């Protein structure tokens, strides 16, 4: 009876083994379902990727796990999420892998790869120093909407075992669920991002419509774009009215002070190219981009960048937005650039509507000025002139010398008053080449455009028949000199106030710009001052530099006016 008893024990043992295997399979399926549900609940993309890696390691009992996200070029990894390696160890190992060796093999051939020893594969070429030893390997691609998003990498199955077909099947199933979870997270992230861009556009439109200054809108564009894209630096450059170039009016973020007031060429650099082509321009690393001038150094510690025109289409670009991320951060994706471009286009529309509204207000103002000028000319001047004539005639009948002298002085005062009123009328009616194109309006406009760069509005005072006596050729030089002077104050003076005075007596035009800054250093760059001096010399004038009693610099630029101008 011993033999039958032995057979019965073997059968019982085999039955028990099958029961344990079935229980293990049931537990593993249950764990897989839990992992799928856990991964599917995540809507934050970064957290979803981390959950996928943790679930993969637990399901196949791997000591180390990673998820490599394939970059836009389709050949390297743009992100690497790991489990099983401490932060200290990661620091010792160095930068994350870029997708070479075995990792690159899965990128080039997106199919499941299972190895008993990594070192035996032809694509393997070892690990960097301080890297933990890894032998067994299992890799599975993750596809999102038919495109390979990245790969799951599992190494070192616990207990010294090798990954088997069941591990491969479980991990492949998880990869399918991971693809769905990643797609959902990306869609949710895109919808939230679009919502933030829409809110930013609404805020800019709301700010512009009541008639706020353009500088406030530009500052808001830079702030919101920097915040939404996670950039370290944001700049807004606008075209200069007096020269074919761009000037950085707004800069916020890291090293912003080094950028404000910079004058950039129209067809060079990221901003110049984006403006001239009316299309986005990107850079993987702005510190190593040949299109960026090395001087002045201003992008230390920064990396990926994108420049997007503000407005396109028939009207062309109105300005440029530049965003720069810290070194090591992801490059700007096509989708991010597309959303940023849409935001900039909507901002340009809001600016256009606001300007049209301001034009309508300006037209109403000019019409009102015409009415005032007409009333002054037809009523006030005629009455004053008649009063003067009456007094002058009455003076003949006054015998007392002192009384007669007072009447004559009163007549002279009336003449001076008539001259002042006529000068005011000329100022109200001056529309050389259209509204806003006279020298007075251009000076006010240049001063207003300099306010965002200076951090305050400069004071402006004008005396004399500015629009009448100063010809267009000299007026162009005046505007260019004023723009250069204010730019120099913004970049070098550290001033808190600037006073601009423009006067003419019909024989000479004089521009005086005074600030309360640090003054003009003796060894500083003089290219801007040299240009201003050359402009004066070409017109037979001069440039004088000096200091004020309270500190700061005083610039006086004067040129004679041609006779009969």
């Amino acid at each position: 009876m011993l033999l039958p008893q032995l057979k019965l024990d073997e059968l019982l043992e085999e039955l028990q083994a099958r029961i344990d295997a079935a229980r293990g399979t049931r537990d593993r399926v249950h764990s897989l379902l839990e992992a799928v549900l856990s991964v599917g609940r995540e809507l934050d993309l970064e957290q979803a990727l981390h959950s996928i890696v943790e679930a993969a390691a637990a399901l196949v009992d791997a000591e180390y796990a990673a998820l490599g996200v394939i970059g836009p070029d389709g050949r390297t990894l743009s992100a690497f999420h790991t489990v099983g390696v401490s932060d200290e160890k990661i620091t010792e190992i160095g930068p994350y892998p870029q997708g070479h060796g075995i990792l690159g093999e899965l990128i080039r051939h997106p199919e499941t790869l299972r190895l008993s020893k990594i070192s035996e594969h032809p694509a393997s070429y070892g690990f960097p120093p301080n890297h933990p030893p890894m032998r067994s390997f299992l890799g599975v691609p993750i596809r999102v909407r038919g495109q390979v998003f990245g790969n799951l990498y599992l190494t070192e199955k616990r207990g010294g075992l090798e990954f088997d077909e069941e591990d491969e099947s479980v991990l492949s199933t998880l990869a399918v669920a991971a693809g769905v979870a990643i797609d959902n997270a990306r869609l949710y992230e895109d919808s939230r991002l679009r919502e933030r861009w829409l809110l930013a556009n609404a805020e800019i439109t709301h700010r512009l419509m009541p008639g706020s200054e353009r500088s406030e809108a530009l500052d808001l564009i830079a702030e919101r774009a920097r915040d939404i894209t996670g950039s370290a630096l944001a700049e807004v450059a606008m075209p200069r009215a007096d020269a074919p170039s761009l000037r950085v009016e707004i800069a916020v973020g890291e090293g912003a002070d080094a950028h404000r007031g910079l004058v950039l060429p129209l067809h060079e650099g990221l901003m110049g190219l984006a403006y001239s082509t009316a299309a986005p321009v990107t850079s993987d690393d702005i510190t190593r981009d040949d299109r960026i001038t090395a001087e002045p150094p201003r992008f230390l510690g920064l990396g990926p960048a994108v420049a997007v025109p503000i407005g396109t289409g028939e009207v062309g670009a109105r300005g440029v937005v530049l965003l720069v991320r810290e070194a090591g951060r992801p490059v700007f994706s096509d989708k991010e650039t597309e959303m940023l471009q849409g935001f900039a286009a909507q901002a340009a529309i809001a600016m256009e509507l606001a300007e049209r509204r301001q034009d309508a207000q300006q037209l109403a103002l000019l019409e009102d000025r015409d009415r005032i000028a007409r009333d002054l000319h037809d009523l006030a001047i005629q009455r004053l002139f008649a009063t003067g004539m009456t007094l002058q005639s009455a003076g003949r009948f006054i015998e007392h010398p002192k009384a007669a002298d007072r009447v004559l002085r009163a007549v002279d005062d009336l003449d001076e008053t008539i001259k002042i009123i006529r000068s005011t009328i000329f100022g109200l009616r001056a529309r050389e080449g259209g509204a806003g194109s006279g020298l007075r309006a251009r000076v006010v406009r240049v001063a207003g455009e300099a306010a965002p760069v200076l951090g305050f509005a400069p004071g402006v005072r004008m005396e004399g028949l500015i629009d009448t006596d100063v010809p267009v050729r000299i007026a162009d030089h005046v505007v260019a000199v004023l723009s250069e002077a204010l730019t120099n104050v913004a970049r070098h003076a550290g001033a808190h106030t600037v006073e601009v005075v423009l006067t003419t007596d019909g024989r000479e035009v004089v521009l005086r710009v005074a600030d309360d800054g640090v003054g003009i250093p003796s060894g500083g760059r003089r290219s801007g001052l040299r240009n201003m001096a050359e402009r004066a010399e070409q017109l037979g004038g001069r440039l004088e530099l000096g200091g004020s009693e309270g500190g700061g610099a005083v610039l006086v630029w004067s040129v004679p006016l041609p006779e009969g101008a």
Side-chain angles (χ1 to χ4, degrees), residues 439 443 461-463 466 478 500-504 509-511:
L439 181 55
V443 167
R461 180 165 57 89
M462 288 177 274
E463 297 178 3
I466 303 296
V478 172
V500 177
V501 179
L502 181 63
T503 61
T504 182
V509 61
V510 180
L511 174 66

Side-chain angles (χ1 to χ4, degrees), residues 39 67 76 336 360 388 491 512 528 531:
V39 168
L67 193 160
T76 58
E336 285 181 306
R491 294 191 61 191
R512 184 179 186 273
N531 291 338

Side-chain angles (χ1 to χ4, degrees), residues 221-223 225-226 229 231-237 246 248 250-252 259 262 264 269-272 274 281-283 286 289 292 298-299 302-310 319-325 332 340 344:
I221 289 172
E223 287 283 3
R226 182 173 76 102
T229 59
S231 300
L233 173 68
E235 300 178 22
V236 177
L246 298 170
V248 178
I250 302 294
V252 293
H259 298 264
L262 283 178
L264 307 173
L270 301 189
M271 301 187 88
V281 179
T282 60
S283 174
I286 199 168
D289 199 311
I292 304 297
R298 56 196 187 278
F299 293 110
L302 301 179
V306 60
V308 174
I310 301 176
V320 186
V321 178
L322 174 70
L323 297 173
V324 191
R325 286 174 173 158
F332 287 89
L340 177 60

Side-chain angles (χ1 to χ4, degrees), residues 135-170:
R135 289 172 291 275
S136 56
F137 175 86
L138 177 59
V140 176
I142 297 177
R143 288 179 169 83
V144 177
R145 298 186 178 230
Q147 299 293 323
V148 178
F149 172 83
N151 297 301
L152 275 171
Y153 307 109
L154 288 301
T155 61
E156 288 299 288
K157 188 175 178 67
R158 299 184 188 278
L161 302 176
E162 296 180 7
F163 295 106
D164 54 23
E165 292 183 1
E166 188 174 339
D167 293 327
E168 183 178 323
S169 177
V170 168

